[in-house]
Amino acid sequence: MKNLNVENLNEELRDPAKVQALLSAIRKFGSRSISLMEVCGTHTMSIFRYGIREMLPQNIKLLSGPGCPVCVTPYRAIDEAIAAAKHPNRILTTFGDMVRVPGSRMSLAQAKAEGIDLRVVYSPLDAVGLAAENQDREIIFLAIGFETTAPTIAAAVLTAEELNLKNFSIIGNNKTLPGALRVLLTSPDVKVDGLICPGHISTIIGSEPFRFIPEELGIPAVITGFEPVDILQGIYMLLTQIQKETAQVQIQYRRGASSGGNPHALKLLNQVFQSGDDNWRGFGVIPGTGLKIKKEYEHFDTLKKFNVTIPDVDDPIGCRCGDVLRGAAAPLECPMFGKACTPEKPVGACMVSTEGTCAAYYKYGG
Ligand code: SF4
C-alpha cells in the first residue's frame, strides 16, 4: 500500500472511504462462489469485529482455519501443566489466555482453586524474573503459540541459562503453522480457493515457507495485515489471482512482513528449538510441526525435569472444535454452541480463547 501516513496509520487503515472503494472493486469480480480461509486468530477477530463477512458479496465466503494457538493446543498440555505444578514448591506461570482453557478434568483456574500456585505473566521473561527472585521455588512456564511467540520463549531460556537459573523450566507447546496448512489444504473435506496468510507469523518466518501453497497446491495466498483496509485489500489481491488463474504468495502486509522474515528472531528460535512431531487439536499428530527443546537445553524442559507423562485425551463428546479448526464446520453447527458451551462455561478451547472462532461467533453474533 502506497502513501500511508504513519502518524495516523490506524485511521487510514479503517478509513470508510477506502473500505467502500475496496468493496466496490471486490463486487466487480462477479458471482462465482469463492471460499477464502483466514488462518490467524487475530484475522478471525478483526473480520468479526468489523463485520467484514457481512460487507462482502454473498458469493464470497470466509472460513476460519487453525490459527488460534490456544485452540489447537491439546487438552493434554493443560493436564501436564497441572500435574507438573501440583507441588507446594512450584509456581506455574502462563499467558492469561490459557487460564480458563479446559483440560481433560479441569482448567488451570480450577486447579488454582484447588491449590496450585498459578501466576499470569505477560512475557516469558517475566517468568524468568520470577525465578531469579524466588530461587527457593521452581518456576514453570507453560508456553504456547506459533512462530510469533517462540523467539521470546527461546530468549527466556537463553536468559535463564545466562543467569544460571536452575529453578526455571518450560512446558513447550509451540507449533509451526506451514505443515498444518499442508494437511488442511489437502484434506478432502476442506475446499479453499485462496488463503489469507497470517501477518504476525510472517513477520518472523517471512513468505518463503508459504510458497508450497501456490507452487504445489495451486492455491493463491496473500500475507495480510489486520485492519479492515488490510483485510479487504488482501481479499482483493486473492480475487485478482483467482480471476487471472495464477497462484503465488503475495505480501499485502508490507509494513510488517518480508520474504526472508526476521533473521535475529529466527536465529534465537533455531538456537533453542528443533522441529519435531506435534499433536494438534482437530488434526492429530502432524510431523515436523512442533518446536521441541534441543538436547543442550533440555534441563529447561519441565516434563523431563519432573518426569511428567500424561496421555493424550479426546475432545469432549459432541464438541466440534476439531471440525471448526479445519474450517469443515461453522460454530453454529455445533449442538453445544451457546447452550452447553458459552464463554462463561466453555466446553472447548475455541470458545474461551480471545482468538477462538466460537468465541468470535458468540461475541459478534455469528
Ligand atoms: S461451541 Fe464449544 S463445544 Fe462446540 S465446537 Fe465450539 S468450543 Fe467446541
Side-chain angles (χ1 to χ4, degrees):
M1 183 180 292
K2 286 175 191 160
N3 304 325
L4 275 180
N5 177 353
V6 287
E7 286 182 7
N8 296 306
L9 192 54
N10 280 347
E11 284 81 354
E12 290 220 10
L13 294 170
R14 294 172 193 165
D15 180 354
K18 286 195 171 83
V19 166
Q20 283 307 331
L22 281 161
L23 284 169
S24 308
I26 286 170
R27 285 192 198 103
K28 292 191 180 126
F29 279 95
S31 57
R32 177 182 155 191
S33 286
I34 289 171
S35 295
L36 307 177
M37 177 178 270
E38 89 270 355
V39 286
C40 170
T42 313
H43 277 145
T44 303
M45 272 297 167
S46 285
I47 285 166
F48 277 95
R49 182 179 302 129
Y50 296 114
I52 288 174
R53 285 181 185 214
E54 289 70 31
M55 290 183 206
L56 291 173
Q58 285 194 349
N59 59 308
I60 299 173
K61 192 172 161 195
L62 294 183
L63 306 169
S64 301
C68 156
V70 173
C71 305
V72 295
T73 301
Y75 287 98
R76 193 204 64 235
I78 304 293
D79 296 350
E80 284 170 345
I82 293 171
K86 267 190 181 168
H87 189 287
N89 195 37
R90 297 178 194 163
I91 300 174
L92 177 65
T93 61
T94 192
F95 298 129
D97 244 17
M98 293 302 288
V99 171
R100 292 175 57 245
V101 176
S104 68
R105 283 189 49 247
M106 65 178 85
S107 65
L108 298 181
Q110 290 163 323
K112 182 178 166 77
E114 291 196 4
I116 70 161
D117 190 345
L118 173 71
R119 318 260 179 109
V120 169
V121 291
Y122 295 101
S123 151
L125 283 166
D126 293 344
V128 175
L130 198 62
E133 288 161 13
N134 297 275
Q135 299 211 15
D136 55 334
R137 303 201 53 191
E138 286 287 341
I139 311 300
I140 298 165
F141 178 67
L142 170 60
I144 66 135
F146 293 123
E147 294 93 329
T148 327
T149 51
T152 57
I153 293 162
V157 167
L158 294 172
T159 305
E161 176 89 329
E162 210 176 298
L163 297 174
N164 198 24
L165 292 176
K166 309 283 186 215
N167 63 329
F168 174 77
S169 62
I170 66 168
I171 303 177
N173 285 289
N174 276 83
K175 300 182 191 308
T176 53
L177 191 63
L181 292 183
R182 181 183 287 280
V183 172
L184 175 76
L185 296 171
T186 52
S187 299
D189 59 343
V190 176
K191 185 194 163 291
V192 173
D193 299 301
L195 203 68
I196 299 171
C197 281
H200 291 146
I201 290 177
S202 304
T203 61
I204 305 295
I205 65 174
S207 61
E208 286 296 300
F210 297 113
R211 274 180 56 178
F212 74 92
I213 298 169
E215 291 177 5
E216 293 176 40
L217 309 179
I219 298 173
V222 176
I223 293 167
T224 305
F226 302 96
E227 296 295 335
V229 169
D230 287 323
I231 294 170
L232 290 171
Q233 197 173 43
I235 290 170
Y236 176 82
M237 290 163 78
L238 282 172
L239 294 172
T240 305
Q241 288 195 51
I242 292 167
Q243 189 180 57
K244 289 184 176 170
E245 297 185 352
T246 58
Q248 55 182 300
V249 181
Q250 293 177 307
I251 303 176
Q252 180 279 333
Y253 188 48
R254 292 222 165 261
R255 64 186 187 281
S258 61
S259 67
N262 180 329
H264 178 64
L266 287 171
K267 190 172 164 206
L268 279 176
L269 190 156
N270 291 322
Q271 190 174 342
V272 173
F273 295 112
Q274 63 190 16
S275 158
D277 301 347
D278 211 352
N279 196 355
W280 294 58
R281 181 178 291 141
F283 293 79
V285 174
I286 307 179
T289 58
L291 289 172
K292 308 293 174 190
I293 300 177
K294 284 184 170 172
K295 193 149 188 58
E296 54 265 46
Y297 296 104
E298 72 180 13
H299 46 291
F300 291 108
D301 184 333
T302 305
L303 303 184
K304 289 199 172 120
K305 189 173 182 180
F306 300 125
N307 203 17
V308 176
T309 3
I310 299 284
D312 270 315
V313 284
D314 292 332
D315 283 359
I317 294 168
C319 172
R320 295 197 65 189
C321 270
D323 290 335
V324 170
L325 289 166
R326 290 184 306 109
L332 298 177
E333 293 173 61
C334 172
M336 292 200 245
F337 180 87
K339 297 174 192 133
C341 181
T342 62
E344 293 72 39
K345 229 179 147 202
V347 174
C350 301
M351 186 58 96
V352 68
S353 167
T354 52
E355 297 191 341
T357 310
C358 297
Y361 265 75
Y362 192 90
K363 185 170 180 184
Y364 296 105

